[in-house]
Amino acid sequence: MLVNQFLILGAVLFCIGVYGVLARKNAVMVLMSIELILNSVNINLLAFDLMNGGLEGSVFALYIIGIAAAEVGVGLAMVLLIYRNKKSIALDELSEMKG
Amino acid sequence: MFAEGTEAVHESAGWFLEHAWLIPVIPAVAFFLIIFFGKRMPRGGSEFGIASMLGALVLAAGTAFQWIDRVNSAGHGGEEGEHALGLVSGMGRAVAAASEEAPPHVDAVSKVWSWFSVGNLDVSIGSYIDGLAVTLLLLVAFISTLVQIYSTEYVRGDRRYTHFFASLTLFSAGMLTMVLAPNMVQFILGWEIMGLCSFMLIGHWWEELPNAKAALKAFFTVRVGDMGLLVGTGALLMLFGTLEIGEINNLAANFENGDKGMLMFAAIALFIACIGKSGQFPLHTWLPDAMAGPTPVSSLLHSSTMVVAGVFLVARLYPVFHVGLDINMLGQDVNLIAVIGGITVLIAAGLAFVQDDIKKVLAYSTVSQLGYMMMGLGVGAWTGAVFHIFTHAFFKCALFLCAGSIAHTGSHHSFDMKKDMGGLWRKMPVTFVVWIVSTAALMGIPFIGSGFFSKDEIIDSAKYNDYKIFWIVGIIGAGLTAAYMTRATYLTFFGKARGGAAHFVHGDAHHDDEAHDEGHAVAFAQEHADLDHEIDSHAHAAHDAHGHDDHHAPVHHGKPLPFAPTDSAWQITVPLIILGVLAVIAGYLNAPALGIHWFEHMTHSSIGAGSAMVVPPPPKFTWAAAAPGLLLIAVGIGLSFFLSKAVFGDAKSPFKGLTQRVAPLRWGHKFLVNKYYLDHLYENVIVRFVAYPLSKAAYWVNQHVLDGTVNQVGLAGKRTGQFVYKYIDQGLVDGVVNGSGTTARGAGGQLQPVQSGKVGMYGTLLFGAAAVAALILVLVNS
Amino acid sequence: MLASDIVVAQNVAFGIIAAVMVLFALRVVSSSNVVHAALSLVMVMAGAAALYILLAAEFVAVTQVLVYIGAVMVLFLFGVMLTRAKLGRDADLNNKNWAAGIPVALLLLGVMVYVLIDGLGDDKLDVTSGTAASTAAISDLIFSPYILPFWALSFVLLAAVIGAIVLARKD
């Protein structure tokens, strides 16, 4: 097998994730797309791990899984708060960032 | 115990010394017991706290005895015969012979386990016992025990009674962990636990906004300094490649040719942490505010133990500071530590004069005394400074507990000396005697108080080690201390009873006023019925139970009336008496005036000497050298008593309201009342000129750079469109593809709404830009 | 089985897993039904777990199943329910200018694929000889040289727990 099989699969998933982040309006959907991106990174890490015969990639893949859990927790809490305040989780309605 | 210790001194250090790590473990376990089971216990978890502190105290005492034994046996070069008497003879001996030759070097007893390792760096956890650690261990365990006993009465019935004891116990665990620390990581761990507990305890009654604010202020101010601790530790690691305190001290003491600048940097960074924690000059403002916490907390954390952590750090890593900051070097008249300490001594003493709150007076006094300790370390009086930690803890803790006792049963939960105190000496005899004794110790009155021996050694060393400025600062500070304490004592215990202290007719003197007082008391009860803290009702109930009903106690609104000022319950008076006794006798452990150098003998090897570091020995005590200080103290007491009597007393006097009438005095008074405008400086000037422009700059960047970029892209698109339309389209192809120009123009117009504030659009641009940048990089590099 | 057979089998497995993952990943970002998208995400996660096993990282695979499929997805479904997104079709899930995402994603993909092929060419990945990463070895790494990131992670999780409570609490 080729390293590139895994890496290109990771790249494809990454780009799908990026598209999702850009195209989606619903905040929950954006969070899901971010999960796709994080997973593609994990695939890369483990592929490099096997390529180099180390274990560090696995360690950091585990850390990423942990971080992803934290991120989803906080992200969804924020989404809930936004929903409670605005009765909507459509990101394009959140234009407070406009200067 | 002694026999066992002496036999095995050289092979094994002794059971207590080897197992000192158990001391912080006991309160740590107790903390969890209190958290999980405290509420279900009959005494709300306080039994766990007190039991654990007693356990820690027993172990600490054992450790201390074995350490004394160890030092004595090292001193006698293994002559077995004298060991058994080591302690006894050491305690009372006029160590003339021993003090003239240098005390023997006694190795610390270190017991460590590997905690974790990062790369090549093994970080250990365990215990590092030497004279300094033993001193603090004993001190912390002892005072924590007394304060916890005191608290069972003081915060009885409080809503968060269990949590209060949990925090106190966790604090003790943290402080003991720090004191024992064999390396900087464990040190930081303990240091931060203390910071957390300090925050929780200051904000114990967080329902009231000022308390919550004080807690936050304390936490953030100390945090500013804590950054220095991390940076300094990092610098030490870079410099010496180790975090072990023993090794760092050794390497720093023998530091001859190396990166001196780095060592200085580390010392300064660490000292910033000490400034924050020990309330030294620029960051001292949090400590008086910390008095918002319950009085036992002020007594334990913010006077006797936690705030000396900064001083302890300097004493612990003394070689780093001594060599890094050129202390005691020839031609070095000043150094950072002494300067900061000296400034703190004077400004805090000045502030103590204008406080009406008895706890604030004591708080500024604490700041001032911490300044003495720092100054002592800065002028090379290591022993004096550490001994001052030791003696100060007893008398300052006693003073705070007296203040608490007064508020608890004397002045109806008020700490205001001018409004609610006065004339209490007859009504609260135990509190009064302990207060007077502790005040004498704080002022440094010879032989009555322990403060004399420690403070005088610091002042004396400053003179002897050629730090003339700090000698002057020291004696002036001593005079000021005497003066403000006299003022506070007069206001609290003498003169006419006012406010809370005067609600009850007590004795014959006020018999005629009975009717008036009763009416006043009723009004007071009404006024305070809704304001008083929950604790009040419990305290009142407690007082009824303690048999004060014999003073007439008419019941109004179903609530007992304020009680007559009287001494508190045994849980309060017993710790007071113990501390009062110690405030007197603790000084005799190291009384140069009597030729006793026992404490110095026991702790000397903690200084850590080396070829690059020569700490001058303490000067020989002479009464002539002590005379100027004593004279100023006497003047301070006399002048202050006279002025207090004139200003606050009954008799009419031209001094009354002097600060209002005479302009320079009024300005000075205002300057002091506003704390030299330091808080104003921090909150209104620094915050406004740092934080505000920062946010403004961020806003500007957002408005002009980010939005501007987006705007420019839009404009450029539009211009391109126009350009295409105008020249290429119309000029060249001229009407053939007329539509394309319009399209381009449309594109330009379309690009402008890019600056929409919509996250999605920003994201698209960001990723797009990143992709383009990556593409360019790839193309350039391939 | 011969080593070559194993390689073939692995390639086939990879092909199937990869196809499933890409397909469901596309469904995640294109479905107009939030719940369907979430379930598609489960499939992608499961595919990733299968890939990890193929890459001889059993422990990570197990963790992936436990944390992602077990916990994170439940969180997502709760998030969907609590924000009362319509459980049926919802045509309004995309931005107005969602199409702008396509060129950006394609551009990124192009750059990355080009770099990968250019850089790693046909470097072989020897899956057959790779010894499975023992969990003990991973734990040794986590708890000694990489303990500081581990602590940082613990701290982040703690902060996240507190933050989530503070944010989502109704006052």
Side-chain angles (χ1 to χ4, degrees):
Chain A
M1 290 169 89
L2 301 177
V3 186
N4 265 344
Q5 285 176 337
F6 291 93
L7 299 187
I8 290 177
L9 176 63
V12 169
L13 286 178
F14 182 85
C15 292
I16 294 174
V18 167
Y19 165 75
V21 170
L22 299 184
R24 292 303 206 178
K25 190 167 75 172
N26 185 317
V28 178
M29 301 299 281
V30 170
L31 282 176
M32 287 189 199
S33 307
I34 292 174
E35 294 304 307
L36 275 182
I37 294 177
L38 288 173
N39 261 284
S40 71
V41 173
N42 268 358
I43 293 175
N44 277 17
L45 277 175
L46 288 171
F48 284 132
D49 224 7
L50 198 62
M51 190 171 110
N52 298 329
L55 276 177
E56 280 81 359
S58 304
V59 171
F60 281 95
L62 288 170
Y63 288 160
I64 288 180
I65 293 176
I67 290 288
E71 171 250 318
V72 172
V74 176
L76 283 175
M78 286 165 71
V79 169
L80 278 184
L81 190 69
I82 292 169
Y83 178 76
R84 205 178 297 145
N85 289 336
K86 308 198 74 144
K87 293 291 161 224
S88 157
I89 50 170
L91 287 178
D92 57 358
E93 286 170 25
L94 299 174
S95 50
E96 275 85 357
M97 274 177 75
K98 184 170 182 177
Chain B
M1 189 164 65
F2 287 112
E4 183 188 304
T6 47
E7 271 166 24
V9 150
H10 297 293
E11 292 78 31
S12 106
W15 191 88
F16 284 108
L17 291 176
E18 294 277 346
H19 292 78
W21 54 271
L22 279 170
I23 299 173
V25 169
I26 296 172
V29 170
F31 165 71
F32 286 104
L33 286 177
I34 296 174
I35 285 283
F36 290 120
F37 307 109
K39 288 227 161 120
R40 280 171 236 164
M41 299 300 287
R43 287 172 191 278
S46 58
E47 56 269 76
F48 286 129
I50 292 174
S52 73
M53 289 327 302
L54 281 172
L57 179 59
V58 168
L59 283 183
T63 313
F65 280 128
Q66 287 192 346
W67 176 259
I68 291 164
D69 215 44
R70 189 177 161 85
V71 176
N72 283 336
S73 59
H76 295 296
E79 290 167 50
E80 300 292 312
E82 293 198 8
H83 289 162
L85 292 171
L87 173 75
V88 182
S89 61
M91 286 291 280
R93 186 174 40 179
V95 204
S99 68
E100 266 156 36
E101 71 204 50
H105 183 77
V106 186
D107 282 331
V109 182
S110 175
K111 178 130 179 101
V112 294
W113 293 272
S114 187
W115 181 7
F116 63 91
S117 57
V118 180
N120 297 328
L121 184 70
D122 269 312
V123 176
S124 56
I125 191 163
S127 62
Y128 180 85
I129 301 294
D130 60 2
L132 179 62
V134 167
T135 309
L136 267 285
L137 275 182
L138 201 56
L139 196 69
V140 172
F142 184 75
I143 294 193
S144 296
T145 311
L146 290 186
V147 167
Q148 290 213 356
I149 292 171
Y150 180 95
S151 304
T152 54
E153 167 70 15
Y154 193 83
V155 297
R156 179 207 297 252
D158 189 75
R159 178 188 304 180
R160 283 183 289 276
Y161 184 82
T162 303
H163 290 134
F164 181 79
F165 276 91
S167 304
L168 276 188
T169 312
L170 181 62
F171 160 74
S172 302
M175 179 110 195
L176 293 169
T177 306
M178 185 198 79
V179 167
L180 280 175
N183 62 51
M184 290 308 289
V185 176
Q186 187 178 334
F187 191 96
I188 294 171
L189 177 75
W191 179 284
E192 298 293 353
I193 291 176
M194 292 195 306
L196 173 72
C197 292
S198 165
F199 170 73
M200 291 196 294
L201 287 166
I202 296 172
H204 183 69
W205 291 321
W206 49 261
E207 285 90 346
E208 284 154 48
L209 188 64
N211 297 355
K213 274 192 170 165
L216 280 176
K217 183 175 180 184
F219 192 72
F220 287 125
T221 313
V222 174
R223 276 277 12 126
V224 170
D226 287 357
M227 286 299 116
L229 183 61
L230 296 181
V231 171
T233 306
L236 285 180
L237 181 64
M238 268 169 70
L239 194 60
F240 297 131
T242 177
L243 288 172
E244 303 297 314
I245 285 172
E247 285 177 48
I248 290 176
N249 278 347
N250 236 334
L251 289 168
N254 297 302
F255 195 85
E256 263 163 351
N257 32 22
D259 189 354
K260 186 74 181 286
M262 190 71 180
L263 189 64
M264 196 167 125
F265 175 76
I268 291 173
L270 289 173
F271 187 62
I272 289 172
C274 303
I275 288 176
K277 200 71 157 186
S278 287
Q280 297 296 297
F281 161 55
L283 297 180
H284 66 276
T285 55
W286 70 271
L287 191 53
D289 284 22
M291 297 304 128
T295 308
V297 172
S298 312
S299 176
L300 177 62
L301 272 72
H302 304 117
S303 69
S304 50
T305 53
M306 187 192 86
V307 289
V308 302
V311 183
F312 176 73
L313 175 60
V314 179
R316 175 89 285 181
L317 292 174
Y318 200 50
V320 173
F321 295 96
H322 196 271
V323 178
L325 295 174
D326 290 333
I327 297 171
N328 297 138
M329 285 287 192
L330 218 57
Q332 293 284 336
D333 292 342
V334 289
N335 61 63
L336 182 66
I337 295 182
V339 167
I340 295 286
I343 294 175
T344 310
V345 168
L346 292 184
I347 63 153
L351 288 171
F353 278 104
V354 295
Q355 305 301 320
D356 292 343
D357 185 322
I358 188 169
K359 279 175 79 181
K360 289 261 164 87
V361 175
L362 295 178
Y364 281 112
S365 158
T366 304
V367 173
S368 172
Q369 298 302 309
L370 289 168
Y372 266 111
M373 297 173 202
M374 279 299 181
M375 196 175 86
L377 290 169
V379 299
W382 191 92
T383 316
V386 172
F387 193 53
H388 201 49
I389 295 180
F390 187 72
T391 55
H392 174 259
F394 294 123
F395 60 71
K396 190 50 70 61
C397 186
L399 286 171
F400 266 103
L401 294 186
C402 283
S405 170
I406 293 165
H408 193 58
T409 52
S411 63
H412 199 77
H413 306 288
S414 163
F415 290 103
D416 195 316
M417 294 188 297
K418 282 189 181 160
K419 291 207 183 86
D420 288 316
M421 293 184 192
L424 285 170
W425 70 275
R426 212 196 295 260
K427 298 165 187 168
M428 307 182 75
V430 176
T431 311
F432 174 64
V433 170
V434 174
W435 174 280
I436 288 297
V437 163
S438 312
T439 304
L442 172 58
M443 290 173 177
I445 294 175
F447 304 115
I448 304 176
S450 50
F452 167 68
F453 299 115
S454 48
K455 207 194 282 180
D456 188 68
E457 183 163 337
I458 294 175
I459 297 171
D460 224 14
S461 296
K463 186 182 181 191
Y464 179 80
N465 296 348
D466 274 340
Y467 286 99
K468 280 279 184 313
I469 309 165
F470 298 110
W471 175 69
I472 294 167
V473 167
I475 57 170
I476 292 176
L480 290 176
T481 308
Y484 68 70
M485 282 314 291
T486 307
R487 171 183 175 270
T489 307
Y490 183 85
L491 277 173
T492 310
F493 288 102
F494 298 104
K496 197 168 182 279
R498 298 171 294 270
H503 281 305
F504 260 86
V505 181
H506 196 91
D508 300 329
H510 298 264
H511 206 276
D512 298 341
D513 298 338
E514 187 161 350
H516 164 75
D517 269 351
E518 219 174 283
H520 191 172
V522 170
F524 185 90
Q526 282 173 324
E527 182 188 328
H528 282 245
D530 46 345
L531 290 174
D532 276 358
H533 205 273
E534 189 187 353
I535 187 176
D536 279 357
S537 56
H538 290 276
H540 294 164
H543 279 280
D544 289 343
H546 285 290
H548 294 294
D549 300 279
D550 48 339
H551 314 297
H552 60 288
V555 174
H556 188 79
H557 291 311
K559 208 178 168 191
L561 270 176
F563 39 86
T566 173
D567 266 321
S568 309
W570 69 268
Q571 291 99 322
I572 287 184
T573 48
V574 168
L576 276 181
I577 293 166
I578 295 175
L579 283 168
V581 171
L582 279 169
V584 179
I585 64 167
Y588 290 94
L589 290 180
N590 200 54
L594 303 174
I596 301 173
H597 296 274
W598 185 78
F599 186 84
E600 183 197 342
H601 190 69
M602 288 301 147
T603 54
H604 181 266
S605 11
S606 304
I607 300 178
S611 48
M613 176 183 169
V614 182
V615 182
K620 211 161 165 51
F621 179 87
T622 56
W623 284 102
L630 291 175
L631 190 70
L632 267 179
I633 291 172
V635 169
I637 295 174
L639 205 61
S640 174
F641 187 78
F642 168 69
L643 277 174
S644 300
K645 202 162 162 51
V647 175
F648 306 118
D650 300 333
K652 285 224 179 326
S653 132
F655 289 102
K656 277 202 166 145
L658 202 63
T659 50
Q660 306 308 317
R661 281 182 277 127
V662 184
L665 282 177
R666 187 168 66 235
W667 295 329
H669 187 257
K670 197 174 167 208
F671 189 56
L672 285 175
V673 166
N674 286 298
K675 307 169 204 164
Y676 307 109
Y677 293 98
L678 277 175
D679 273 341
H680 179 79
L681 176 75
Y682 295 154
E683 279 162 28
N684 297 338
V685 180
I686 295 184
V687 171
R688 180 160 299 168
F689 282 92
V690 176
Y692 187 62
L694 264 186
S695 64
K696 217 172 163 173
Y699 184 71
W700 187 88
V701 168
N702 188 43
Q703 286 290 296
H704 293 86
V705 180
L706 296 183
D707 275 357
T709 312
V710 174
N711 226 342
Q712 289 307 314
V713 171
L715 269 180
K718 194 168 183 174
R719 296 239 171 83
T720 319
Q722 281 169 345
F723 179 82
V724 168
Y725 180 69
K726 206 169 177 180
Y727 296 99
I728 302 173
D729 195 59
Q730 296 214 325
L732 275 171
V733 201
D734 204 338
V736 182
V737 263
N738 231 337
S740 74
T742 338
T743 318
R745 183 181 215 163
Q750 293 257 308
L751 268 171
Q752 244 188 347
V754 150
Q755 173 219 12
S756 63
K758 302 269 159 57
V759 214
M761 210 56 223
Y762 284 163
T764 310
L765 285 170
L766 185 74
F767 274 100
V772 170
L775 182 66
I776 291 169
L777 271 177
V778 167
L779 290 178
V780 167
N781 285 328
S782 62
Chain C
M1 263 202 315
L2 291 169
S4 60
D5 291 341
I6 295 176
V7 170
V8 169
Q10 278 175 337
N11 272 323
V12 170
F14 177 83
I16 295 170
I17 295 168
V20 166
M21 283 178 77
V22 172
L23 214 68
F24 279 100
L26 285 172
R27 255 176 74 80
V28 171
V29 295
S30 64
S31 166
S32 52
N33 182 326
V34 187
V35 178
H36 285 184
L39 294 177
S40 305
L41 189 59
V42 173
M43 286 305 292
V44 180
M45 305 289 184
L51 269 191
Y52 299 162
I53 291 180
L54 204 58
L55 286 167
E58 283 87 355
F59 183 66
V60 183
V62 170
T63 315
Q64 167 94 358
V65 172
L66 282 178
V67 176
Y68 262 124
I69 304 177
V72 171
M73 287 319 300
V74 172
L75 262 183
F76 267 121
L77 290 174
F78 267 114
V80 169
M81 283 196 293
L82 288 175
T83 53
R84 291 192 218 136
K86 294 184 194 75
L87 287 178
R89 283 178 60 83
D90 184 358
D92 202 25
L93 280 177
N94 282 356
N95 279 326
K96 274 199 290 288
N97 31 21
W98 58 271
I102 295 177
V104 171
L106 284 179
L107 182 60
L108 261 181
L109 183 64
V111 174
M112 285 198 285
V113 169
Y114 171 75
V115 170
L116 286 176
I117 291 174
D118 189 51
L120 293 167
D122 38 26
D123 283 10
K124 290 274 188 291
L125 196 60
D126 197 1
V127 181
T128 45
S129 74
T131 49
S134 81
T135 309
I138 292 182
S139 77
D140 280 350
L141 278 180
I142 289 183
F143 290 111
S144 100
Y146 293 109
I147 186 125
L148 286 183
F150 178 75
W151 280 345
L153 175 62
S154 318
F155 191 74
V156 166
L157 278 173
L158 177 68
V161 168
I162 296 171
I165 291 171
V166 170
L167 282 175
R169 193 179 60 161
K170 275 196 179 118
D171 275 328

